[in-house]
């Protein structure tokens, strides 16, 4: 076992008594270090670019001599030498760590080392990655490897990488996939080569970790090594927070121990870096990792998948990782009204420089907004009290319309989720305030926000996007008349007349898909005489608190910090008793069943849009919808009576509206004329739905 010793790292100058030892060590090892004159040593000491390691007896046992390169803002290690008696005892690591801490204002540390010295593993252990090879200056021209230790400073390259990852699905490929990639049309295509298909390039960004460069460096064939490095440099190198890495590594190792599985360290490192970077997808051909996909997803929210499966399920996977509510677990996100003295704090975060917005203009605009609170409200979403995630500004000047003048989301793992929430929050707020429309007029919208706007059925108008949000529950005839009047407000509102005309066609009110789509366009409006199936579904409080009921969540002692309102689309599972057929759409009224541990139960508390009913095996449903819910596979197995081959039912729902006045079981029985036991889901008539919904949403 290696015996590490306690050492002290010290910077010396030309007056240090240890300089003689440094020179002696350099001379003794000049065959590997290269020739360095005594004058050069003394000049370096005078420039204070020599660090020495002292043992407990205060003897110099090693040194590191470096050179700052100001024009490129990097540090170059010139010499790194340890007395042979103390090698392998942690001295080198402490010298490098000390240099790294001392020079954090530089981009990183570079060094060159001959390949034939056979010490590549040492550099890897110290955190360096091999970038490329180049001939040395000796007569033999021995090949040198250039090694790099990143200080994680944002550069023009890292900004460019971040911009690519904002608009594409980031898929991290492991060594097994990378080494199979040919990147050459003349060679026989492999399974992994499908990831390079032209049709994917606008939507998929292949990313690699540091471990890829280490694997390339181990290739003995110089020509193949150069080819693989060229390919690696064409891909996006993953950026990640190194301060989180150790904790993630520990969590992965614990998972492997629990599963009685062992991975090599390179594989563990790749998984850890991917998780630390908040990347959503890890692509591998390693069967052992693929077999552990469910456990990895459950613990880290990382989709582990093969190249072929990624191609076949690309659209579904991209959709699932764009909307990733489960990533919010364990976070504390709060909405806060910005005060006048705080405005400068958010300029850098939300100034849309890449969209051409002038910083000074944005600053003036924000200052004007905050200075006029009677007209504007400027809110920021904060994580852990002080990290800004999103910014939104409301203009309430017009009584019939809520105007969103600024809507910005900080790039990150939950950016798409936040964008969808902000848009939906705006619609909900407008409807709650009895306004008929929401208008978004920010001229510098990010792609994630634009996608959310399109999903919520906004109409493109001259100065932005417009949507009707009618807080009414009316017959098709009444709603048609209402929309016709709104359509007379101007040409921008013509879409209201088109919807009104659709509602006058009797076949439309009888067509389930048409009515469901109309209610989505006008949400929270309800067409109460339409033949849209409506079901009262009982749900246990423990699931209701996670899926929609904040009141119940606040009663729960082990409540997570997740902001439940950010979840737009979710899934609920039930036994398959034949009460619903696959493909059914409609509405859900949620009845929270009895539980003595909670108050506020035995009530119908919310209404949701039923988007889809899917019936299948537990494991298949879990894989399909795990990004949408709080369920674990074991919960689905319980529903299936622990029978893997037994079908269960998944209800995918969205647009959940919490009732102002929940209806008690007694009241539901009165409406149902005492027909209700609420032991399982049941369908109600459109007349009964009209009564329940109107009473529940009454103010």
């Amino acid at each position: 076992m290696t015996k590490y010793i306690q050492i002290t790292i010290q910077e010396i100058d030309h007056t240090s008594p240890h300089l003689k030892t440094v020179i002696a060590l350099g001379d003794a090892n000049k065959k590997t270090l290269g020739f360095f004159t005594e004058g050069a040593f003394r000049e370096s000491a005078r420039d204070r670019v020599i660090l020495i390691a002292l043992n407990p007896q205060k003897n110099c046992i090693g040194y590191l001599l470096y050179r700052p390169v100001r024009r490129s803002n990097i540090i170059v290690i010139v010499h790194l030498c340890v007395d042979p008696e103390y090698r392998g005892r942690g001295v080198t690591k402490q010298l490098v760590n000390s240099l790294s801490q001392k020079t954090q204002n530089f981009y990183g540390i570079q060094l060159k080392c001959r390949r034939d010295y056979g010490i590549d593993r040492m550099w890897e252990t110290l955190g360096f990655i091999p970038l490329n090879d180049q001939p040395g200056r000796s007569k033999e021209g021995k090949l040198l490897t250039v090694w790099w230790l990143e200080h994680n400073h944002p550069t023009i390259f890292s900004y460019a990488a971040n911009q690519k990852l904002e608009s594409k699905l980031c898929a991290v490929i492991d060594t097994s996939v990378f080494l199979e990639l040919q990147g050459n049309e003349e060679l026989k295509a492999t399974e992994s080569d499908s990831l390079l298909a032209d049709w994917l390039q606008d939507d998929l960004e292949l990313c690699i970790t540091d471990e890829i460069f280490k694997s390339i460096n181990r290739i003995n064939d110089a020509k193949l090594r150069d080819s693989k490095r060229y390919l690696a440099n064409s891909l996006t190198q993953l950026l990640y927070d190194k301060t989180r890495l150790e904790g993630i590594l520990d969590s992965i190792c614990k998972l492997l121990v629990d599963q009685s599985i062992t991975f090599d360290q390179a594989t563990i490192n790749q998984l850890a870096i991917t998780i630390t970077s908040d990347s959503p997808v890890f692509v591998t051909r390693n069967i052992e990792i693929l077999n552990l996909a469910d456990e990895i997803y459950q613990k880290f929210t990382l989709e582990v998948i093969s190249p072929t499966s990624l191609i076949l399920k690309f659209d579904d996977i991209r959709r699932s990782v764009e909307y990733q509510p489960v990533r919010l677990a364990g976070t504390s996100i709060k909405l806060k009204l910005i005060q006048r003295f705080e405005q400068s704090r958010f300029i850098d975060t939300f100034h849309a420089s890449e969209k051409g917005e002038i910083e000074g203009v944005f600053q003036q605009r924000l200052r004007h907004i905050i200075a006029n609170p009677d007209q504007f409200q400027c809110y920021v979403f904060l994580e852990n009290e002080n990290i800004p995630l999103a910014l939104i500004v409301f203009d309430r000047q017009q009584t019939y319309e809520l105007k969103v003048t600024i809507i910005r989301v900080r790039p990150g793992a939950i950016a798409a989720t936040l964008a969808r929430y902000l848009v939906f929050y705006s619609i909900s707020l407008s409807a709650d305030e009895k306004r008929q429309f929401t208008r978004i007029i920010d001229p510098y919208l990010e792609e994630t926000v634009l996608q959310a706007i399109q999903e919520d059925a906004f109409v493109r108008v001259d100065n932005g996007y417009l949507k009707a949000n009618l807080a009414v529950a009316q017959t098709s005839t009444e709603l048609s008349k209402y929309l016709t009047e709104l359509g007379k407000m101007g040409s921008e509102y013509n879409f209201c007349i088109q919807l009104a005309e659709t509602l006058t066609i009797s076949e439309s009110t009888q067509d389930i898909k048409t009515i469901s789509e109309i209610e989505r366009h006008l949400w929270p409006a309800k067409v109460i005489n339409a033949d849209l199936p409506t079901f009262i579904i009982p749900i246990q409080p423990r699931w209701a608190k996670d899926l929609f009921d904040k009141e119940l969540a606040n009663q729960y002692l082990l409540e997570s910090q997740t902001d439940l309102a950010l979840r737009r689309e979710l899934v609920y599972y039930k036994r398959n008793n034949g009460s619903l057929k696959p493909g059914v759409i409609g509405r859900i009224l949620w009845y929270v069943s009895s539980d003595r541990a909670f108050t506020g139960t035995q009530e119908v508390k919310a209404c949701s849009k039923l988007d889809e009913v899917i019936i299948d095996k537990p494991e298949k449903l879990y894989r399909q919808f795990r990004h949408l819910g709080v369920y674990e596979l074991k919960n689905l197995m319980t529903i299936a009576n622990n029978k893997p081959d037994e079908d269960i039912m998944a209800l995918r729902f969205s647009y959940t509206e919490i009732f102002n006045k929940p209806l008690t079981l007694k009241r539901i029985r009165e409406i149902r004329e005492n027909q209700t036991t609420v032991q399982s889901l049941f369908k109600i008539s459109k007349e009964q739905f009209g009564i329940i919904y109107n009473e529940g949403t009454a103010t």
Side-chain angles (χ1 to χ4, degrees):
M1 181 181 290
T2 301
K3 184 178 180 181
Y4 288 87
I5 61 169
Q6 185 67 40
I7 66 171
T8 303
I9 305 297
Q10 188 178 98
E11 180 184 84
I12 65 169
D13 63 16
H14 61 290
T15 65
S16 171
H18 298 293
L19 182 56
K20 286 184 179 180
T21 307
V22 169
I23 295 172
L25 275 171
D27 287 346
N29 293 275
K30 61 185 177 184
K31 187 174 181 180
T32 54
L33 293 174
F35 180 69
F36 209 67
T37 66
E38 181 177 334
F41 273 114
R42 295 191 179 281
E43 188 64 30
S44 296
R46 188 173 284 106
D47 292 339
R48 305 183 73 89
V49 291
I50 299 178
L51 302 178
I52 63 170
L54 301 176
N55 67 9
Q57 291 75 41
K58 302 301 179 183
N59 297 319
C60 176
I61 58 173
Y63 73 94
L64 187 157
L65 190 155
Y66 65 95
R67 177 168 58 90
V69 183
R70 301 290 178 183
R71 66 179 182 276
S72 51
N73 199 39
I74 68 171
I75 295 293
V76 173
I77 293 179
V78 180
H79 278 188
L80 179 53
C81 181
V82 175
D83 188 308
E85 183 183 342
Y86 291 92
R87 289 175 187 172
R89 300 174 70 178
V91 178
T92 301
K93 185 175 183 64
Q94 292 184 61
L95 281 166
V96 170
N97 286 349
S98 179
L99 175 64
S100 180
Q101 292 167 12
K102 180 181 176 62
T103 60
Q104 278 294 307
N105 55 320
F106 289 82
Y107 288 145
I109 302 171
Q110 184 187 93
L111 65 90
K112 297 175 183 177
C113 182
R114 274 173 52 170
R115 290 188 63 83
D116 58 357
Y117 285 169
I119 57 173
D120 290 357
R121 292 287 185 180
M122 182 190 79
W123 298 125
E124 291 179 7
T125 303
L126 293 172
F128 287 84
I129 62 170
L131 296 182
N132 54 60
D133 297 330
Q134 57 183 236
R137 295 180 180 177
S138 64
K139 292 180 180 179
E140 299 87 357
K142 294 289 187 179
L143 209 56
L144 305 176
T145 299
V146 179
W147 294 84
W148 174 252
L149 178 65
E150 176 69 51
H151 278 165
N152 271 15
H153 286 298
T155 66
I156 188 170
F157 303 108
S158 60
Y159 284 129
N162 276 333
Q163 282 190 329
K164 284 194 286 187
L165 299 184
E166 285 176 35
S167 59
K168 297 183 179 182
L169 171 64
C170 169
V172 181
I173 59 174
D174 77 342
T175 305
S176 67
V177 173
F178 174 80
L179 293 179
E180 193 183 60
L181 285 176
Q182 302 285 1
N184 188 336
E185 295 179 359
E186 296 178 1
L187 299 176
K188 183 179 179 181
T190 65
E191 176 192 359
S192 299
D193 276 328
S194 60
L195 298 172
L196 300 175
D198 290 342
W199 67 272
L200 280 171
Q201 300 316 300
D202 290 338
D203 300 303
L204 178 67
E205 189 68 25
L206 297 183
C207 299
I208 55 176
T209 69
D210 296 349
E211 291 297 323
I212 295 295
F213 292 95
K214 297 176 186 177
S215 297
I216 295 171
N217 194 53
R218 297 184 193 117
I219 298 173
N220 291 324
D221 186 320
K223 186 176 180 181
L224 178 59
R225 192 167 61 241
D226 288 343
S227 171
K228 287 299 182 183
R229 280 205 178 113
Y230 181 81
L231 178 59
N233 288 325
S234 71
L235 304 177
T236 297
Q237 189 173 351
L238 206 57
L239 305 170
Y240 63 98
D241 182 358
K242 290 186 176 180
T243 61
R244 294 176 54 207
L245 189 60
E246 187 174 344
I248 298 296
L249 283 167
D250 289 343
S251 296
I252 293 174
C253 291
K254 184 178 184 304
L255 173 64
L256 296 179
V257 170
D258 292 344
Q259 298 293 324
S260 301
I261 296 173
T262 57
F263 288 160
D264 62 86
Q265 191 59 49
T267 296
I268 294 173
N269 290 346
Q270 288 184 89
L271 279 169
I273 292 172
T274 304
I275 294 164
T276 305
S277 71
D278 288 327
S279 298
V281 177
F282 185 76
V283 188
T284 181
R285 296 180 64 250
N286 186 316
I287 298 300
E288 287 186 316
I289 305 177
L290 291 169
N291 288 339
L292 205 60
D294 289 339
E295 289 78 6
I296 292 172
Y297 187 92
Q298 186 173 315
K299 190 170 183 65
F300 302 109
T301 324
L302 176 67
E303 185 86 43
V304 176
I305 196 167
S306 69
T308 299
S309 295
L310 176 62
I311 299 302
L312 293 176
K313 302 176 182 178
F314 182 76
D315 289 336
D316 290 339
I317 291 172
R318 175 161 190 178
R319 176 72 179 94
S320 71
V321 299
E322 281 180 349
Y323 177 72
Q324 197 67 286
V326 72
R327 282 191 178 273
L328 300 171
T331 64
S332 177
I333 299 175
K334 294 184 178 180
L335 182 66
K336 181 181 182 296
L337 192 65
I338 296 180
Q339 304 298 315
R340 185 174 302 184
F341 63 87
E342 297 177 301
Q343 62 194 33
S344 59
R345 175 185 168 194
F346 305 111
I347 298 296
D348 289 342
T349 304
F350 299 115
H351 163 226
S353 56
E354 68 285 355
K355 295 285 184 180
E357 184 178 42
I358 299 171
E359 183 177 345
V361 174
F362 177 61
Q363 190 169 8
Q364 289 179 355
R365 188 179 178 197
L366 206 56
R367 187 182 296 119
H368 171 73
I369 286 167
I370 295 171
N372 291 275
D374 292 339
Q375 179 179 348
F376 302 102
Q377 283 77 48
C378 183
Y379 292 96
V380 65
F381 282 75
L382 296 174
E383 182 178 29
N384 297 326
E385 303 291 343
N386 61 0
I387 302 173
L389 297 179
L391 178 78
I392 191 164
V393 177
F394 298 117
D395 178 351
R396 287 186 165 91
Q397 240 182 338
Q398 295 174 315
T399 57
Y400 62 89
E401 185 173 285
L402 181 67
K403 194 174 291 184
V404 182
T405 61
I406 297 177
I407 178 169
R408 307 285 168 86
V409 178
R410 181 178 182 169
I414 61 170
T417 302
L418 276 171
R420 285 169 171 79
Y421 172 71
L422 287 177
V423 173
F424 185 61
Y425 178 77
S426 304
I427 297 167
S428 302
L429 185 63
S430 180
D432 286 345
E433 295 175 354
K434 305 303 178 186
R435 302 175 196 271
Q436 289 77 34
F437 298 96
T438 302
R439 185 188 296 265
I440 298 176
I441 61 170
D442 189 341
Y444 303 104
L445 295 173
E446 293 290 345
E447 186 63 29
T448 51
V449 179
L450 285 170
Q451 289 175 0
I453 288 171
Q454 291 164 3
E455 288 181 16
D456 274 317
F458 279 75
V459 175
R460 187 76 169 93
V461 292
D462 288 342
N463 67 336
Y465 298 85
L466 184 65
K467 175 178 169 46
N469 38 255
L470 310 181
V472 297
Q474 297 177 336
T475 66
S476 56
T477 301
E478 292 168 339
L479 188 55
S480 177
K481 291 179 180 177
Y482 186 22
L483 287 166
T484 300
E485 290 302 311
L486 292 175
K488 295 177 181 178
M489 294 171 60
S491 58
E492 289 185 326
Y493 303 90
N494 283 343
F495 69 94
C496 292
I497 295 176
Q498 295 171 357
L499 289 169
E501 291 173 350
T502 302
L503 285 167
T504 61
I505 303 170
S506 59
E507 289 82 359
S508 297
T509 59
Q510 296 169 9
D511 184 79
I512 293 172
K513 289 184 179 180
T514 300
I515 286 297
S516 180
E517 195 61 16
I518 287 175
E519 289 194 353
R520 185 177 76 89
H521 276 72
L522 300 175
W523 189 89
K526 301 292 184 291
V527 185
I528 57 176
N529 68 322
D531 294 324
L532 190 60
T534 302
F535 307 91
I536 291 183
I537 297 181
I539 182 172
Q540 295 177 24
R542 65 175 180 140
W543 298 122
K545 74 175 179 62
D546 286 328
L547 294 177
F548 59 81
D549 199 327
K550 286 185 179 179
E551 179 189 348
L552 291 176
N554 289 335
Q555 300 173 36
Y556 195 62
L557 293 177
L558 299 179
E559 175 196 358
S560 71
Q561 297 301 307
T562 305
D563 187 336
L564 301 178
L566 293 179
R567 302 185 178 201
R568 288 286 312 278
E569 181 185 0
L570 291 158
V571 67
Y572 179 62
Y573 300 94
K574 289 189 67 67
R575 285 192 174 92
N576 178 31
N577 58 8
S579 54
L580 287 179
K581 301 298 181 185
V584 169
I585 62 174
R587 310 186 193 100
I588 296 173
L589 291 171
W590 295 104
Y591 172 79
V592 180
S593 56
S594 177
D595 188 326
R596 292 182 180 179
F598 297 91
T599 60
T601 61
Q602 291 188 286
E603 295 177 330
V604 171
K605 305 190 76 169
C607 177
S608 298
K609 180 177 181 289
L610 175 59
D611 296 310
E612 188 178 12
V613 175
I614 309 94
I615 296 173
D616 215 323
K617 307 295 184 288
E619 186 172 353
K620 189 170 181 181
L621 288 178
Y622 174 74
R623 289 178 180 276
Q624 185 175 357
F625 295 116
R626 60 189 176 185
H627 65 284
L628 290 180
V630 295
Y631 290 81
E632 298 177 8
L633 180 57
K634 64 182 180 181
N635 303 130
L636 273 65
M637 289 302 298
T638 300
I639 295 171
N641 298 314
N642 292 315
K643 297 177 182 178
D645 293 328
E646 184 163 318
D647 285 342
I648 63 172
M649 182 164 50
L651 309 178
R652 187 169 60 84
F653 65 94
S654 60
Y655 289 92
T656 298
E657 187 178 4
I658 307 300
F659 283 168
N660 299 318
K661 295 182 178 180
L663 280 74
T664 64
L665 177 58
K666 179 182 177 182
R667 178 58 184 143
I668 296 298
R669 283 174 173 162
E670 289 173 354
I671 295 170
R672 292 269 297 162
E673 297 179 349
N674 295 320
Q675 297 177 25
T676 301
T677 60
V678 199
Q679 297 299 313
S680 61
L681 71 86
F682 57 91
K683 187 177 181 180
I684 62 173
S685 68
K686 52 192 174 185
E687 292 80 14
Q688 291 167 347
F689 168 73
I691 296 170
I692 293 170
Y693 182 81
N694 279 318
E695 289 188 15
T697 56
T699 54

